Amino acid sequence: MKLSYLGHSCFQIHFGGKILLTDPFISGNGLLKDVNVDDIEADYILLSHAHQDHILDVERIAKRTGATIISCAEIAYHYSNLAYKSHPMNIGGKWKFDFGTVKMVNAVHSSSFPDGKYGGAVGGFVIWDEDYCFYFAGDTALTLDMQIIPMTCPELDFAILPIGDNFTMGVDDAVIASDFIHCDRIIGCHFDTFAYVEIDHAKAIMTFKNENKQLILLEPGKSLELELDEN
Ligand code: NI
Ligand code: MN
């Protein structure tokens, strides 16, 4: 499975024959060099919530690619009212798309558009097909609700968790989250983009290693070919 990190919480993931993009914040990310928003391909754009650092480039990418926006109802309807394709969901619901199944799961955070308009529920997504399953947590605190994921979804191959602290959980809480979701391969997000979320990389990786877990910290703009066992 090919996964590219476009910085902050933005990942481009080739899944089920389609290109999925999460929380595009690209043109505003000073850490991301040599990536042109107008070159990014997407069939689906998954939005965890409406904060600027998660939606900045949605319209620009969706307009050019015709990608379908998957998010909570309030965000999906906001974009469908602007004539973008969208699929509304809400917490606890799942839907079978042409690339696989998406379950929207709880996140503990807040959500409003940059102009203050209500952004609805904040979510994460568990995404699976016959072979693979992963969790994109979005912006969230550590929450006991994460324990529901292994009870209701296939076994996770990897999970993308925020680790930058201040606005979301930090590294120590992410280690506990990895226990809750029964997944020891974690890809970090929501770190280093702003001064509030700068982290010590070596320390973060060691914190996971000490619990026999793997924390992968990708450099913005870098791709990774994930070698995954088929379930
Ligand atoms: Ni946020
Ligand atoms: Mn954020």
Side-chain angles (χ1 to χ4, degrees):
M1 186 188 307
K2 192 185 170 207
L3 176 147
S4 302
Y5 184 42
L6 297 172
H8 204 48
S9 295
C10 184
F11 292 83
Q12 186 191 51
I13 301 165
H14 293 252
F15 194 88
K18 300 290 175 187
I19 301 176
L20 315 183
L21 191 72
T22 64
D23 289 355
F25 175 75
I26 296 157
S27 59
N29 188 343
L31 298 181
L32 198 58
K33 311 272 186 260
D34 309 322
V35 174
N36 186 342
V37 180
D38 298 318
D39 291 337
I40 292 166
E41 292 304 327
D43 296 304
Y44 293 91
I45 303 173
L46 295 114
L47 301 178
S48 61
H49 65 299
H51 284 159
Q52 178 82 324
D53 59 319
H54 299 259
I55 64 159
L56 181 67
D57 296 308
V58 173
E59 294 189 49
R60 190 162 157 192
I61 296 169
K63 190 174 288 174
R64 178 177 46 81
T65 60
T68 299
I69 295 161
I70 302 172
S71 194
C72 75
E74 287 79 0
I75 294 173
Y77 294 140
H78 168 87
Y79 287 112
S80 59
N81 285 337
L82 295 169
Y84 296 99
K85 272 187 267 173
S86 75
H87 181 107
M89 297 188 73
N90 218 322
I91 307 297
K94 63 180 183 301
W95 183 263
K96 201 163 191 243
F97 293 87
D98 58 357
F99 60 86
T101 299
V102 176
K103 182 168 186 182
M104 190 170 177
V105 296
N106 196 33
V108 174
H109 194 67
S110 61
S111 181
S112 55
F113 286 89
D115 65 359
K117 181 175 155 180
Y118 176 56
V122 187
F125 302 98
V126 183
I127 300 170
W128 68 86
D129 64 8
E130 307 78 49
D131 298 323
Y132 305 114
C133 180
F134 70 96
Y135 170 39
F136 172 76
D139 277 9
T140 185
L142 173 65
T143 166
L144 286 169
D145 281 358
M146 289 168 178
Q147 295 180 351
I148 296 171
I149 291 172
M151 297 165 73
T152 58
C153 300
E155 193 181 322
L156 294 171
D157 292 291
F158 67 95
I160 299 169
L161 302 181
I163 54 167
D165 223 327
N166 191 71
F167 297 115
T168 68
M169 58 185 174
V171 171
D172 293 332
D173 285 3
V175 169
I176 299 169
S178 125
D179 283 335
F180 284 177
I181 61 176
H182 300 178
C183 179
D184 291 336
R185 179 189 269 156
I186 304 301
I187 298 173
C189 73
H190 217 272
F191 63 96
D192 286 356
T193 321
F194 321 110
Y196 285 128
V197 297
E198 275 174 15
I199 65 159
D200 179 331
H201 290 213
K203 194 175 163 203
I205 289 166
M206 193 51 73
T207 303
F208 272 76
K209 206 172 175 190
N210 289 341
E211 301 296 325
N212 293 315
K213 297 173 186 295
Q214 183 186 17
L215 175 66
I216 301 167
L217 299 182
L218 292 167
E219 223 175 279
K222 287 274 151 25
S223 296
L224 179 73
E225 194 68 48
L226 277 171
E227 303 287 339
L228 302 171
D229 302 329
E230 295 191 7
N231 288 334

